[in-house]
Amino acid sequence: MKTSIRKSVTQKLSIIQTTLKAPKSKTNAFGKYKYRSAEDILEAIKPLLVEHDCSLIINEELISAEGGLPIMKSIATLVDNADGKTSVSAVALVGVDLNSKGMQKPQQFGAASSYGKKYALGNLFL
């Protein structure tokens, strides 16, 4: 009789971290550098989530720092679907630049949100 050994969420995370490949597929024409977006990471992680029976949740909240600078807090959480409760998270904090020229307020918050998600995912998946 074969017994299966259940992996912990941290063991699953370790495997996902060493397996995940999210290449820098985008180019910033102005700065002439390559980068990856949050969407690139999310697209690359989907098959690994299925393979290791995990889910990924990204939460955001707006917090304020001294002086009233808006700060976006992004939390990426890997949840073990085996019990739906066991998880591990990583956080990224990003300031919202309200002085960005050529951007309206929703765009300023959207840019901070995208940046925060990308760095929370990067912190979680290394």
Side-chain angles (χ1 to χ4, degrees), residues 16 20-22 38-56 58 78 81 121 125:
I16 291 170
L20 178 65
K21 302 288 183 244
E39 291 79 13
D40 292 333
I41 298 169
L42 292 170
E43 197 57 37
I45 196 71
K46 287 176 186 177
L48 296 172
L49 294 173
V50 171
E51 180 180 340
H52 297 287
D53 194 26
C54 292
S55 297
L56 179 65
I58 301 174
L78 182 71
N81 290 339
L121 289 166
F125 297 117

